[in-house]
């Protein structure tokens, strides 16, 4: 498990020394360390149709597999969704992230159903360009044959049970509570149903979007949103914002029942003279739950959540939650990968330069020829490398984009090509750079960790480089505890026991941006 400091201390500023900050060790390792048997992989065997697999998938505890790299359509304008979905499918996307709140599940289903259309007529998305994407899908070249890991074929985009199209959707917090959640799920299932004639197979992953409505969040308005609900929703259950500690638990019970009864669902159902096939319920999970809510949920859960979707920030800065997720083998799917990281470029230029350098190195490996690295022409960009960093750690990513250029650089096949070329040193550089960009501060320091391996308590002191004055910089460390400091190469520290009978001195010889561990022992 990742070891975190048990508490944070205030910053300490010395008269003639740089700033020493107590540092939390990176928490991304917590989500990675504890799943040795659940690794993402290209399926080694061909599909039932005899074709090579198209995407990298990860095994869920539900028994299903889920693609590591997908696309998000949650806040896309409704009129661009059909084209974006068709283009994404042409580029190898098999996972689409949305939510009930986005009111686009029906639009998504129609776009997927359009893959079966053989006519060249107007598809309701403006016509121009969509037929090209549909033609690309049918030919199996993914629009860019040189990047495809799939052999192609008529149904090479979710057209058989070995290669389904996955949809993550979520229950909005206005629909928390047992009956309201069941209602929301049934509406999602209805909207995501495909015509019976469709060759596509949908696997849906059902998540609770939030544990509760919180008026402390600026864009949430619990009373107003409850008032605006249709009468049939209000009649289905009591307002969840009046029982914030328990409504989500009842919702989870509803998801558990739905999951346990999934094989009893009628797969084909006729509505208004049209026979449709319902999607298969592949897993259940949660989104945006904090560590306390997760622990409360796990105490009452009959089924452990299969998926946790959360901000990419958590992977680096919430070790307790990441350790909990890893302990229970819950798949972590990250959103806001680009915004959280790339917004830090101005305040962490050195970290962004490292990210750019690694991108150039990877680009030359993926394309071992003279390539002009420009944002306008390169399919491997810093965005691609960021997605590859998370996915090689088995963290799912669902970037949102409707731009053809961005969709290509975010595509599963391009990301997979980068993963295959990342070296251990590049991964380490990326880890440090991403952490600095998220914090908006360059890693112009060395992180040192002190481990108390003695049977008595100790305290760490910093030795002034000019006066040799010793100043306490740690709390009292009990046996087995760990303390971390941000410092600089050449700095010296000393550890004492309470009676000052034991004295151990340490000199930092690591480089900027690196870390070093000192064991305080006899």
């Amino acid at each position: 498990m990742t070891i975190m400091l048990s508490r944070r201390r205030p910053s300490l500023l010395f008269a003639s020394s740089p700033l020493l900050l107590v540092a939390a060790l990176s928490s991304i390792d917590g989500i990675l360390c504890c799943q040795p048997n659940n690794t993402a992989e290209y399926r080694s065997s061909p599909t039932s149709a005899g074709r090579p697999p198209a995407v990298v998938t990860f095994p869920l505890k539900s028994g299903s597999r889920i693609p590591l790299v997908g696309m998000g359509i949650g806040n896309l304008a409704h009129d661009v969704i059909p084209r974006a979905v068709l283009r994404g499918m042409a580029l190898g996307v098999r996972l689409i992230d949305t939510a009930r709140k986005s009111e686009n599940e029906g639009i998504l289903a129609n776009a997927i159903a359009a893959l079966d259309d053989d006519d060249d007529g107007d598809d309701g998305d403006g016509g121009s360009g969509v037929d090209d994407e549909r033609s690309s899908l049918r030919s199996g070249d993914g629009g860019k044959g040189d990047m495809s890991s799939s052999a192609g074929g008529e149904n090479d985009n979710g057209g058989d049970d070995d290669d389904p199209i996955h949809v993550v959707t979520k229950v909005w917090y206005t629909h928390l509570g047992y009956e309201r959640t069941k209602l929301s799920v049934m509406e999602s299932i209805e909207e995501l149903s495909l015509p019976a004639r469709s060759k596509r197979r949908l696997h849906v992953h059902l998540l609770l979007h939030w544990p509760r409505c919180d008026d402390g969040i600026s864009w949430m308005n619990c009373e107003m949103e409850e008032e605006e609900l249709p009468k049939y929703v209000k009649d289905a259950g009591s307002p969840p914002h009046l029982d914030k500690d328990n409504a989500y638990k009842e919702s989870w019970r509803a998801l558990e029942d739905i999951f346990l009864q999934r094989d009893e669902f009628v797969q084909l159902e006729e509505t208004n003279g049209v026979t449709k096939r319902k999607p298969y319920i592949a897993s259940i999970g949660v989104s945006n739950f904090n560590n306390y809510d997760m622990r409360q949920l796990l105490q009452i859960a009959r089924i452990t959540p299969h998926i946790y979707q959360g901000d990419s920030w958590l992977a680096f800065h919430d070790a307790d939650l990441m350790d909990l997720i890893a302990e229970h083998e819950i798949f972590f799917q990250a959103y806001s990968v680009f915004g959280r990281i790339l917004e830090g470029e101005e305040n962490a230029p050195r970290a962004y330069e490292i990210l750019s350098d690694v991108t150039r190195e990877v680009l030359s490996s993926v394309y071992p020829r003279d390539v002009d690295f420009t944002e306008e022409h390169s399919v491997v960009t810093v965005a691609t490398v960021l997605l590859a960093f998370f996915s090689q750690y088995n963290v799912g990513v669902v970037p949102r984009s409707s731009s053809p250029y961005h969709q290509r650089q975010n595509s599963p096949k391009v990301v997979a090509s980068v993963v295959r070329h990342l070296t251990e040193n590049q991964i380490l550089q990326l880890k440090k750079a991403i952490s600095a960009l998220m914090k908006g501060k360059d890693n112009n320091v060395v992180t040192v960790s002190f481990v108390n391996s003695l049977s008595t308590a100790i305290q760490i002191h910093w030795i002034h480089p000019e006066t040799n004055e010793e100043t306490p910089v740690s709390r009292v460390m009990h046996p087995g505890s760990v303390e971390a400091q941000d410092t600089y190469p050449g700095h010296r520290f000393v550890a004492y026991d309470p009676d000052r009978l034991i004295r151990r001195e340490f000199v930092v010889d690591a480089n900027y941006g690196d870390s070093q561990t000192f064991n305080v022992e006899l």
Side-chain angles (χ1 to χ4, degrees), residues 8 16 48 65 67 103 111 132 146 208 240 272 321 365 374 461:
R8 291 181 181 272
S16 59
S48 60
R65 300 187 71 93
E103 300 180 348
D132 293 338
D146 58 329
L208 300 182
N272 298 326
L321 179 59
S365 298
T374 64
H461 295 64

Side-chain angles (χ1 to χ4, degrees), residues 337-338 342 355 359 380-388 409-410 415:
V337 171
F338 299 150
L342 299 183
L355 176 59
T359 300
V380 177
T381 65
V382 292
T384 317
V385 171
L386 289 175
L387 297 176
Q409 72 184 35
N410 299 346
V415 172

Side-chain angles (χ1 to χ4, degrees), residues 293-476:
D293 291 328
M294 279 299 293
R295 292 185 182 277
Q296 292 292 305
L297 182 67
L298 290 169
Q299 286 181 7
I300 57 94
R302 290 170 289 161
I303 300 174
T304 300
H306 305 127
I307 297 175
Y308 179 97
Q309 188 182 90
D311 197 305
S312 61
W313 173 271
L314 299 172
F316 280 84
H317 299 98
D318 194 336
D320 290 340
L321 179 59
M322 294 298 99
D323 284 348
L324 183 66
I325 289 172
E327 177 185 350
H328 291 274
E329 299 182 46
I330 301 170
F331 175 64
F332 180 59
Q333 190 177 71
Y335 63 77
S336 294
V337 171
F338 299 150
R340 279 292 189 185
I341 298 170
L342 299 183
E343 288 174 359
E345 176 184 358
E346 181 177 350
N347 294 320
R350 183 172 175 270
Y352 190 83
E353 182 180 354
I354 292 173
L355 176 59
S356 299
D357 289 344
V358 171
T359 300
R360 291 187 181 90
E361 293 171 6
V362 172
L363 179 61
S364 65
S365 298
V366 175
Y367 299 100
R369 59 182 184 269
D370 185 18
V371 175
D372 179 21
F373 178 73
T374 64
E375 287 295 316
E376 291 74 22
H377 300 96
S378 173
V379 70
V380 177
T381 65
V382 292
T384 317
V385 171
L386 289 175
L387 297 176
F389 172 82
F390 281 96
S391 63
Q392 61 88 31
Y393 271 140
N394 295 338
V395 172
V397 287
V398 282
R400 184 178 67 245
S401 176
S402 60
S403 157
Y405 166 65
H406 291 141
Q407 280 192 274
R408 187 175 179 222
Q409 72 184 35
N410 299 346
S411 68
K413 296 173 185 178
V414 176
V415 172
S417 70
V418 171
V419 171
R420 288 192 291 266
H421 289 86
L422 283 175
T423 66
E424 290 186 10
N425 182 58
Q426 288 170 338
I427 292 171
L428 181 60
Q429 291 182 67
L430 288 173
K431 184 176 177 181
K432 296 173 182 176
I434 291 171
S435 177
L437 287 163
M438 281 185 167
K439 291 184 293 186
K441 180 181 178 182
D442 269 323
N443 287 329
N444 295 319
V445 294
V446 177
T447 299
V448 294
S449 302
F450 298 92
V451 182
N452 184 3
S453 299
L454 298 173
S455 59
T456 183
I458 61 171
Q459 189 171 32
I460 307 299
H461 295 64
W462 175 70
I463 303 176
H464 196 290
E466 297 176 359
T467 66
N468 288 326
E469 179 184 359
E470 297 176 356
T471 306
V473 293
S474 82
R475 58 189 172 90
V476 174

Side-chain angles (χ1 to χ4, degrees), residues 470-488:
E470 297 176 356
T471 306
V473 293
S474 82
R475 58 189 172 90
V476 174
M477 298 174 57
H478 297 288
S481 62
V482 178
E483 185 79 61
Q485 299 280 340
D486 278 355
T487 185
Y488 295 85

Side-chain angles (χ1 to χ4, degrees), residues 51-337:
R51 292 176 280 103
V55 293
V56 181
T57 60
F58 187 86
L60 301 175
K61 290 190 72 176
S62 65
S64 297
R65 300 187 71 93
I66 188 170
L68 270 180
V69 180
M71 64 178 287
I73 63 168
N75 293 323
L76 289 181
H78 285 185
D79 61 339
V80 306
I81 289 175
R83 188 185 305 273
V85 169
L86 288 170
R87 187 182 298 116
M89 295 294 293
L91 292 168
V93 170
R94 296 295 181 272
L95 168 65
I96 301 169
D97 177 61
T98 186
R100 186 73 185 143
K101 177 66 173 177
S102 299
E103 300 180 348
N104 59 23
E105 293 163 322
I107 298 172
L108 170 60
N110 289 336
I112 294 173
L115 298 172
D116 293 301
D117 293 343
D118 292 324
D119 62 271
D120 294 325
D122 188 359
D123 53 29
D125 187 45
S128 177
V130 177
D131 289 336
D132 293 338
E133 265 114 36
R134 187 182 293 135
S135 175
S136 174
L137 282 162
R138 293 198 186 99
S139 67
D141 65 2
K144 295 290 179 181
D146 58 329
M147 295 306 299
S148 176
S149 63
S150 179
E154 183 182 6
N155 297 333
D156 192 36
N157 45 92
D160 61 60
D161 289 334
D162 287 338
D163 186 23
I165 299 171
H166 296 256
V167 176
V168 173
T169 192
K170 309 173 199 74
V171 177
W172 194 239
Y173 54 73
T174 54
H175 287 61
L176 294 176
Y178 188 87
E179 294 297 337
R180 286 195 184 190
T181 291
K182 286 182 65 176
L183 177 63
S184 177
V185 169
M186 292 304 106
E187 289 179 338
S188 291
I189 293 296
E190 179 67 26
E191 295 219 14
L192 290 170
S193 297
L194 298 178
R197 64 179 175 80
S198 176
K199 305 180 184 73
R200 319 303 154 187
R201 296 295 179 268
L202 256 59
H203 283 199
V204 64
H205 306 266
L206 302 168
L207 277 56
L208 300 182
H209 208 149
W210 291 86
R212 63 185 58 83
C213 179
D214 183 356
D215 283 316
I217 298 177
S218 61
W219 52 265
M220 290 186 179
N221 191 320
C222 306
E223 292 285 352
M224 184 183 73
E225 291 182 72
E226 175 67 25
E227 182 63 28
E228 293 175 347
L229 290 174
K231 183 177 184 301
Y232 77 92
V233 177
K234 296 178 182 178
D235 291 344
S238 59
H241 71 281
L242 301 181
D243 189 14
K244 296 183 178 183
D245 292 334
N246 295 299
Y248 74 85
K249 297 176 184 177
E250 287 300 301
S251 288
W252 186 251
R253 186 166 65 89
L255 289 189
E256 290 176 321
D257 286 346
I258 290 170
F259 182 78
L260 291 171
Q261 299 165 11
R262 58 181 176 161
D263 293 333
E264 300 175 15
F265 282 17
V266 177
Q267 290 302 302
L268 293 177
E269 189 170 82
E270 184 174 330
T271 304
N272 298 326
V274 178
T275 302
K276 289 193 173 184
R277 177 183 291 106
K278 294 180 179 179
Y280 176 72
I281 298 174
S283 74
I284 56 178
V286 298
S287 175
N288 299 310
F289 276 48
N290 62 30
N291 184 54
Y292 176 80
D293 291 328
M294 279 299 293
R295 292 185 182 277
Q296 292 292 305
L297 182 67
L298 290 169
Q299 286 181 7
I300 57 94
R302 290 170 289 161
I303 300 174
T304 300
H306 305 127
I307 297 175
Y308 179 97
Q309 188 182 90
D311 197 305
S312 61
W313 173 271
L314 299 172
F316 280 84
H317 299 98
D318 194 336
D320 290 340
L321 179 59
M322 294 298 99
D323 284 348
L324 183 66
I325 289 172
E327 177 185 350
H328 291 274
E329 299 182 46
I330 301 170
F331 175 64
F332 180 59
Q333 190 177 71
Y335 63 77
S336 294
V337 171

